[in-house]
Amino acid sequence: MTSASLVHSLWTTAAEPPDKIPSPDIEYGQLSPTLIVLGAALVGVLIEALLPRRHRYAAQLFTSVVALAAAFAAVLGLAVGDYGTTKAGVTAMGAIAVDGPALFLQGTVLLVALVAVFTFAERRLDPVEHGNRVDSFAAQAAAVPGGEAEQAAVKAGFTTTEVFPLLLFAVGGMLIFPAANDLLTLFVALEVFSLPLYILCALARRHRMLSQEAAVKYFLLGAFSSAFLLFGIALLYGYAGTVGYAGIADVVDGEVTRLDPALAQTMGNDALLLIGGAMVLMGLLFKIGAVPFHMWTPDVYQGAPTPVTGFMASATKVAAFGALLRLLYVVLPGLRWDWRPVMWGVAILTMLGGAIVAVTQTDVKRLLAYSSIAHAGFILAGVIATTPDGISSALFYLAAYSFVTLGAFAVVTLVRDAGGEATHLSKWAGLGRRSPLVAAVFAVFLLAFAGIPLTSGFAGKFAVFKAAAEGGAGALVVVGVVSSAIAAFFYIRVIVLMFFSEPRADGPSVAVPSALTSSAIAAGVVVTLVLGVAPQYFLDLASSAGVFVR
């Protein structure tokens, strides 16, 4: 055979199709909540491109509300169809799990997002500018703060309606994040919900420079955490020869006998497992704002538009804790004796660090940021329990906490002075006399944060501390109770400031919101009181949804 014919033979052989290329098997029904939200986000992009500017706000609001409600209905349909219990399994070629925790967390994220959309759409809090109603977001996001382009955009009455599809893209990523069943899907979901949040943080109408600084800090630190996560994924792949959760767990448990020839030198190397697992854990702890990965939280919460802060503080925590629970309980249960002591240390630092530093804060949004750090520590106590009660208590706490947080930030948007939101605590003095209803509602949320009985905060803390004590983490419960006592001090201090101080003559006014923000605050109050007065049904629901599929 000549060299030319040999090359031709090799070429044709290489070009021949293999016998079988497996076609992907996608269960669209089981993935419908995510598909609905991401489809609506694409519709939102088309609305921005094709609709006249004056019609975009109404179209975007309608699309977002309908999509989130339809996605929640789809989650309910899956739960009623027993996909959270007997029919639980993995879908999308093993990439996504549909089980009790995934459906519970997805339902929570969707309800939180639905309430958050109302705060995004509020247009009655700021004074009318040039005859136009304005919202919390920059008139033209691409304009230089204070420049001529921005002034022209404000004068023309522009509004940044792109925030609605950005929110939907973020929600789509958050739906996949706690349900991801392999590490690459986890990473893609992380990026899908993080990138829109970086942009949303930079879009505040007032204090533009502070807002953009917050976005840059969040982006840079988020990029570092993503890098740690991705490097950890690479090391875990080198250890196990797979990125699938069940495959990694099998190698950790020693149940794999046939080694992949390409990875025979590294498979089963415990150093790769420990370092890789630690790096993935660091990426997730950054997202939940645990100490020492919390540096971004106060600055970003303070600088971002308050509706975005409320959405981010509640929904992101739900999604990130869901992913953390799945990683620890599905992928690394065989490493329990290695990760539990580390998580003990993180939980103690987070509870005490958040509570102690919050005492020194003079800005309401920064105070709530450190409060959210302390609450991350309380939820970690349930995670560390490593029992079914630990999972269900963490799920319940996440649902309760997310609505309290969203309601609290919605109230913050109402207290305003000439410069916009009046977030300095000194300006809240005497608010109870100036506007008793708003102060009373904020007091309810603060009491829930403090864990006072008959609020959802008490039921949540009691559940996670009980699970931790029964799981052998009694010392952690003692630290948690001490941290709660410290935290209660600054919550009560704000209540005393509002009701027992003289209002300042130059104090802020309380804006009268539209039905949108009023509905968001009402939803927060109702959930806070219902979960506090009659929590048992919801605890049972979280308990029945607390079994991960593997």
Side-chain angles (χ1 to χ4, degrees):
M1 182 183 291
T2 66
S3 59
S5 60
L6 176 62
V7 170
H8 178 73
S9 164
L10 290 172
W11 177 261
T12 52
T13 304
E16 287 172 5
D19 292 338
K20 279 187 179 178
I21 296 177
S23 59
D25 185 18
I26 307 296
E27 296 82 355
Y28 292 103
Q30 294 175 47
L31 299 175
S32 56
T34 308
L35 296 177
I36 290 169
V37 171
L38 291 176
L42 294 175
V43 171
V45 172
L46 293 176
I47 288 172
E48 288 298 314
L50 303 176
L51 237 60
R53 190 180 291 273
R54 65 182 179 279
H55 298 310
R56 289 178 195 168
Y57 168 80
Q60 293 283 22
L61 178 58
F62 176 78
T63 303
S64 302
V65 170
V66 169
L68 292 168
F72 182 71
V75 169
L76 284 183
L78 290 171
V80 170
D82 294 328
Y83 283 98
T85 50
T86 54
K87 293 184 183 176
V90 292
T91 62
M93 306 288 284
I96 293 176
V98 178
D99 55 12
L103 293 177
F104 187 93
L105 293 164
Q106 286 178 340
T108 304
V109 166
L110 287 166
L111 283 179
V112 166
L114 188 57
V115 176
V117 164
F118 294 153
T119 62
F120 273 54
E122 178 60 66
R123 301 177 84 175
R124 292 215 183 151
L125 300 181
D126 265 317
V128 172
E129 293 188 22
H130 303 286
N132 300 297
R133 293 197 178 278
V134 296
D135 55 19
S136 300
F137 301 98
Q140 191 168 19
V144 175
E148 292 181 10
E150 182 177 68
Q151 292 171 14
V154 170
K155 198 168 183 179
F158 289 178
T159 52
T160 305
T161 46
E162 298 95 316
V163 294
F164 294 102
L166 284 172
L167 177 136
L168 290 176
F169 277 121
V171 171
M174 289 175 188
L175 296 181
I176 300 171
F177 200 54
N181 196 51
D182 70 49
L183 292 171
L184 285 183
T185 306
L186 180 81
F187 177 72
V188 170
L190 174 73
E191 295 306 301
V192 169
F193 83 75
S194 293
L195 293 173
L197 289 178
Y198 300 151
I199 299 169
L200 286 170
C201 285
L203 298 183
R205 176 174 288 270
R206 301 187 184 245
H207 308 296
R208 290 287 311 280
M209 298 300 289
L210 187 66
S211 176
Q212 293 185 355
E213 179 190 345
V216 170
K217 286 180 178 175
Y218 191 21
F219 170 66
L220 290 176
L221 290 170
F224 274 112
S225 79
S226 296
F228 278 117
L229 183 80
L230 200 54
F231 195 31
I233 290 171
L235 294 178
L236 287 178
Y237 176 72
Y239 167 81
T242 177
V243 291
Y245 284 4
I248 297 171
D250 287 342
V251 179
V252 173
D253 295 340
E255 295 177 10
V256 173
T257 54
R258 189 179 69 80
L259 297 181
D260 186 324
L263 296 167
Q265 296 298 315
T266 59
M267 276 185 73
N269 185 329
D270 285 346
L272 291 181
L273 171 64
L274 293 172
I275 298 170
M279 286 185 146
V280 172
L281 208 56
M282 283 165 63
L284 296 178
L285 289 173
F286 173 88
K287 279 298 170 193
I288 66 175
V291 178
F293 311 103
H294 67 293
M295 297 79 67
W296 61 278
T297 310
D299 290 340
V300 174
Y301 280 25
Q302 182 184 14
T306 305
V308 174
T309 307
F311 169 65
M312 193 166 59
S314 47
T316 305
K317 224 174 215 65
V318 173
F321 264 107
L324 180 69
L325 282 166
R326 193 174 294 277
L327 179 80
L328 296 179
Y329 281 74
V330 176
V331 185
L332 303 175
L335 274 187
R336 185 169 300 170
W337 299 110
D338 294 292
W339 60 253
R340 266 195 92 179
V342 175
M343 296 300 286
W344 263 69
V346 171
I348 290 170
L349 284 173
T350 305
M351 286 188 285
L352 287 175
I356 292 169
V357 180
V359 174
T360 67
Q361 299 305 308
T362 56
D363 185 275
V364 173
K365 289 172 76 174
R366 290 183 77 86
L367 185 146
L368 292 176
Y370 280 105
S371 162
S372 83
I373 292 168
H375 283 282
F378 298 142
I379 302 170
L380 282 173
V383 174
I384 290 167
T386 61
T387 61
D389 281 349
I391 300 174
S392 60
S393 65
L395 294 179
F396 176 84
Y397 200 127
L398 286 167
Y401 168 81
S402 56
F403 282 94
V404 180
T405 304
L406 204 56
F409 278 107
V411 172
V412 171
T413 64
L414 303 184
V415 183
R416 314 180 81 82
D417 58 17
E421 290 162 4
T423 57
H424 198 278
L425 271 178
S426 63
K427 296 183 179 179
W428 288 57
L431 188 71
R433 302 185 188 185
R434 195 184 296 269
S435 183
L437 181 60
V438 169
V441 167
F442 196 61
V444 168
F445 293 135
L446 291 174
L447 293 174
F449 283 135
I452 303 301
L454 299 183
T455 64
S456 58
F458 173 78
K461 278 185 185 171
F462 183 81
V464 292
F465 288 164
K466 179 171 176 283
E470 291 174 351
L476 200 62
V477 175
V478 174
V479 175
V481 171
V482 171
S483 300
S484 296
I486 296 170
F489 165 75
F490 60 79
Y491 296 131
I492 303 299
R493 187 184 70 180
V494 176
I495 294 174
V496 169
L497 184 74
M498 289 193 297
F499 287 99
F500 299 100
S501 298
E502 286 296 325
R504 291 169 45 169
D506 61 341
S509 60
V510 175
V512 179
S514 70
L516 294 168
T517 298
S518 301
S519 301
I521 295 171
V525 172
V526 169
V527 172
T528 300
L529 295 178
V530 168
L531 295 188
V533 175
Q536 195 55 51
Y537 170 77
F538 300 96
L539 284 166
D540 292 342
L541 186 66
S543 182
S544 64
V547 181
F548 289 101
V549 69
R550 176 172 163 183

